[in-house]
Amino acid sequence: MSNLNPVLLQSLEQVVGEAGLIRDDERMQSYLSDWRNAYRGKAALVVRPASTDEVAAVVRLCGEAGVTLVPQGGNTGLCGGSIPDDSGCQVVLSLTRMTRIRQVDPANETITVEAGVILQHLQEAAAQVGRLFPLSLGAEGSCTIGGNLATNAGGTAVLRYGNMRDLTLGLEVVLPDGRIWDGLRGLRKDNTGYDLKHLFIGSEGTLGIITAAVLKLYPAVRSRTTAWVALPSPQAAVDLIGRMRALCGDRLTGFELMSRQSVEFVLRHVAGCNDPFTEVHPWYVLIELSDTLVDASLAEMLESGLGEALEQGEALDAVVAGSEAQVAALWKMREGISEAQNHEGPSLKHDISVPVSSIPAFIEAADRKLQEAFSGVRIVAYGHVGDGNLHYNISKPPGSDDVLFKAQAEAIMHVIYGVTRDFAGSISAEHGLGQAKREAARHYKHPLELELMRTLKQALDPAGLMNPGKLL
Amino acid sequence: MSNLNPVLLQSLEQVVGEAGLIRDDERMQSYLSDWRNAYRGKAALVVRPASTDEVAAVVRLCGEAGVTLVPQGGNTGLCGGSIPDDSGCQVVLSLTRMTRIRQVDPANETITVEAGVILQHLQEAAAQVGRLFPLSLGAEGSCTIGGNLATNAGGTAVLRYGNMRDLTLGLEVVLPDGRIWDGLRGLRKDNTGYDLKHLFIGSEGTLGIITAAVLKLYPAVRSRTTAWVALPSPQAAVDLIGRMRALCGDRLTGFELMSRQSVEFVLRHVAGCNDPFTEVHPWYVLIELSDTLVDASLAEMLESGLGEALEQGEALDAVVAGSEAQVAALWKMREGISEAQNHEGPSLKHDISVPVSSIPAFIEAADRKLQEAFSGVRIVAYGHVGDGNLHYNISKPPGSDDVLFKAQAEAIMHVIYGVTRDFAGSISAEHGLGQAKREAARHYKHPLELELMRTLKQALDPAGLMNPGKLL
């Protein structure tokens, strides 16, 4: 039951109505842990405002009472950024009732949506006017635009279209004092001072609450081809993406690297997946080309590039999908890795990035240092080559003890993050910091950068009311 | 002669050497006014550090002495942002000796350059490794990367590649206290806290001094086609860009609108320019398609799209360039407008943006209100349709008095900015605020937005040492 001041509770109920308040312990549960159940907290209350004005009023009332807020969207984050702490004193502010698509402007190639709109619904709304909203990630059926913005979401289309940050033209934000900043401008050029929107994007709810956004749309894709390619090494993947990009330019919309270990887990655990090749190879990439033209000769272009790559020894074998069913089967292999790894016991996930040119040396150094210190661990490396982003995940040695392995998690993390730092990389490429990586960020980010971040936090949220304990 | 404290002067000379100090009044002149000679100031000194450490030392020394700094690049800005005030107490910090290209990393598709590198040199360095650095603007032979970053430069390639902001992965910045923030990361994904680089980009030197940057490269363009199209109205231009974008996707790299008035001035004043059509039309667009493929069938694609547009009445006439010489001739018409207008007496320049879908209504409303209030003025409207960015410039009525016309400048500006505000537009799309639009920004930006900007300025430069009197 709620341990909030009854006067505040009554004021909040006046703002959001009974439908907007959840006080019942049982009904609160789904708001108190993330979808993987990796993080769990307590809350005084879950409040679900239905409009920007209601969000503003809730923020103002909680601020006056000194109650801290935890903004929450679809709760699909991987770092616990939307989960309250254990105190039971925080209020979870869920944006999931703010689901309006406020405007679609095909001539401006923009769409204006509220924070609670689910990514997939946005993709569908774009498709209805013959446009593409390119952000694409595993959780797209549940995650919300507000969460995508707060964490600057990435995914598989970043190679061509950029992160959520790059897809955003304008924001509406409720500030920590409850005032509403209306930055909902659908402008592609606006040089009239500091760019405020970029401060809120990726700030994980620590500077304000994003309530709506103007997002970019792109021309619909009308043709698509996919290939599955076997490679001798990560260096071959870097060479091959350079070759394909020079040849195909913006048509190259996907380039996903997978180690043999990753593919083996999929073949073992995901029903209906089959190795396209008879021989075993150390590395694979999935390449996707797409175009606005219906008849864009993509398969010919792909075959021409791969032909050269095979000649040069960059590629060992290749198959170009001949049907939509084959395309889906190849993507299923890539998308099945995370699930497949769960069947092999606990998996330690790391979402790092380095310059693309450093991927081969990063993998070599990280593999070597891990095997030296934690002999027999299985390295499940895969990711988005063009973004320099690797999901460098670790499974225990076969047959070893789960508990002993998990006890090594922090030591393994430090090996991987240490190598990441050696290559001027990032310890969180696309997942954010949340509560999971806050301490690691303190260790691996430069102190001056942390100081600048604290200066900005202090300037915009001096009372520390917005999502405390996350990110900073 | 310098009126600086002699101790400070000596300390600065110890940092930058004699070659890095300019005290002589005559030699200072070119640093005290912009290339158009629209703004002119005085300075105690011009200091030209040759490295980041030297910049840091200069900033620290001046800060300790309470002397304010005006960072300066190629001095090609249009709003006086790099020109000191009239006090003669400010120090101009010129970055023009910092011209090193620190690293080219083709596999990461990045280049790391210092602030004083001239844009054209960067374009050439990219071309040498078979890559494109897409930023392109009139001043590219003189403007520097530091200035491009400080003003978030735009230009003609924004339609496909974005502004300078979108081309930047990392920054090195000397902070107002003289510390160096090393954010020179070549990462396409990094979600480990607030995005600091976006705060400095476009801040016009008011938050710190950008000394170097990691910038994105793109595949070289290997084919290009251009068309000149006559249109009945701005609405037809909006319809046509929608049609061409849906058809050609990312191949559409240029779409420039010009009124008949703009073209007439060019035909009258720029040698070697000829109207491609025998009939007079009210509006024109220049369309450019480009591709990484050598043989990309761009002309066929353009002709196919224009054929449909002619059928639908969106286009009235069209010519596709048949040679590189014809391409150059068409671009010369577009690029000659600014110069041509100068032959018709003083011109009042306005660099506004609105949503693309609002361009027709903006032009209709602004034209009507101007003619009502200032009968006979000639409206020279042209710009980048896909960015919603119009250069909406005004020439005096034929034969009227220059001085009387110039006296109306502010009243004319308020009419245009008022209509811009009605359409949720920006009063400075790509030129920044500098000293020229600082007061106008106070009037046309929302007070809350100005307050947030002042909060950030106060947090990062509490002593107000960095380029005071600009932007804010």
Side-chain angles (χ1 to χ4, degrees), chain B residues 362-409:
Chain B
F362 169 86
I363 291 177
E364 192 278 329
D367 283 10
R368 181 170 40 76
K369 289 194 177 178
L370 280 178
Q371 293 301 351
E372 276 167 18
F374 310 96
S375 179
V377 295
R378 291 169 298 169
I379 298 166
V380 183
Y382 62 100
H384 322 290
V385 176
D387 314 328
N389 180 193
L390 290 180
H391 299 300
Y392 191 86
N393 299 345
I394 312 298
S395 286
K396 64 176 185 172
S400 67
D401 184 76
D402 279 10
V403 175
L404 288 179
F405 175 65
K406 281 203 241 179
Q408 295 177 314

Side-chain angles (χ1 to χ4, degrees), chain A residues 320-344:
Chain A
V320 175
S323 66
E324 273 302 309
Q326 268 191 291
V327 169
L330 294 178
W331 272 106
K332 191 178 172 189
M333 304 256 287
R334 162 64 184 84
E335 284 162 355
I337 298 173
S338 185
E339 183 208 324
Q341 200 185 357
N342 292 338
H343 292 275
E344 297 280 339

Side-chain angles (χ1 to χ4, degrees), chain B residues 245-296:
Chain B
R245 189 143 41 186
L247 178 67
C248 309
D250 295 320
R251 297 171 189 86
L252 184 65
T253 46
F255 199 97
E256 300 287 307
L257 179 71
M258 291 149 282
S259 67
R260 175 67 196 177
Q261 183 67 268
S262 315
V263 172
E264 234 160 56
F265 281 0
V266 171
L267 296 173
R268 194 178 301 164
H269 299 293
V270 182
C273 284
N274 299 300
D275 195 333
F277 306 124
T278 47
E279 270 184 73
V280 165
H281 299 287
W283 292 90
Y284 302 90
V285 292
L286 189 161
I287 304 178
E288 184 189 83
L289 301 188
S290 58
D291 202 309
T292 52
L293 291 183
V294 176
D295 177 21

Side-chain angles (χ1 to χ4, degrees), chain A residues 105 107-109 131 151-156 158 160-161 163 165-166 175 177 179-204 206-207 216 218-220 222 238 241-242 245-251 291-293 296 301 353-358 384 386-389 391 423-433 441 445-446 448-449 451-457 459-460 471-472, chain B residues 105 107-109 131 151-156 158 160-161 163 165-166 175 177 179-204 206-207 216 218-220 222 238 241-242 245-251 291-293 296 301 353-358 384 386-389 391 423-433 441 445-446 448-449 451-457 459-460 471-472:
Chain A
D105 185 346
N108 196 40
E109 307 273 0
R131 300 295 191 283
T151 60
N152 184 27
T156 54
V158 173
R160 161 60 192 99
Y161 298 100
N163 298 290
R165 180 184 298 289
D166 305 299
L175 301 174
D177 61 9
R179 289 186 295 174
I180 299 166
W181 170 50
D182 177 2
L184 276 185
R185 288 185 288 267
L187 303 177
R188 279 175 170 75
K189 283 183 177 168
D190 178 17
N191 277 345
T192 56
Y194 308 149
D195 196 311
L196 300 171
K197 68 173 178 293
H198 282 302
L199 203 50
F200 294 103
I201 298 171
S203 70
E204 305 188 28
T206 62
L207 298 177
K216 292 186 201 170
Y218 287 83
R222 295 209 182 73
V238 172
I241 194 173
R245 188 142 41 183
L247 178 67
C248 310
D250 295 320
R251 297 170 188 86
D291 202 309
T292 51
L293 290 183
M301 200 180 299
S353 68
V354 292
V356 175
S357 46
S358 298
H384 321 291
D387 314 328
N389 179 193
H391 299 300
F423 288 99
S426 167
I427 63 162
S428 190
E430 55 180 13
H431 294 168
L433 298 177
K445 273 184 95 83
H446 193 284
L448 177 55
E449 208 151 303
E451 183 189 319
L452 285 169
M453 283 165 54
R454 281 191 298 267
T455 299
L456 294 172
K457 169 77 173 175
L460 293 174
L471 192 140
L472 273 171
Chain B
D105 185 347
N108 196 40
E109 307 273 359
R131 300 295 190 282
T151 60
N152 183 29
T156 55
V158 173
R160 160 61 191 97
Y161 298 99
N163 299 290
R165 180 184 298 290
D166 304 299
L175 301 174
D177 61 9
R179 289 186 295 174
I180 299 166
W181 170 50
D182 178 3
L184 276 185
R185 288 185 287 268
L187 304 176
R188 279 175 170 73
K189 283 183 178 170
D190 178 17
N191 277 345
T192 56
Y194 309 148
D195 195 311
L196 300 172
K197 70 174 177 291
H198 282 302
L199 202 50
F200 294 102
I201 298 171
S203 70
E204 305 189 28
T206 62
L207 299 177
K216 292 186 201 169
Y218 287 82
R222 293 208 184 72
V238 172
I241 194 173
R245 189 143 41 186
L247 178 67
C248 309
D250 295 320
R251 297 171 189 86
D291 202 309
T292 52
L293 291 183
M301 200 181 295
S353 68
V354 293
V356 176
S357 45
S358 298
H384 322 290
D387 314 328
N389 180 193
H391 299 300
F423 288 99
S426 167
I427 63 162
S428 191
E430 55 180 12
H431 295 167
L433 297 177
K445 275 184 93 84
H446 193 285
L448 177 56
E449 208 150 304
E451 182 189 321
L452 285 168
M453 283 165 54
R454 282 192 297 267
T455 299
L456 295 171
K457 170 75 174 177
L460 294 174
L471 194 140
L472 272 171

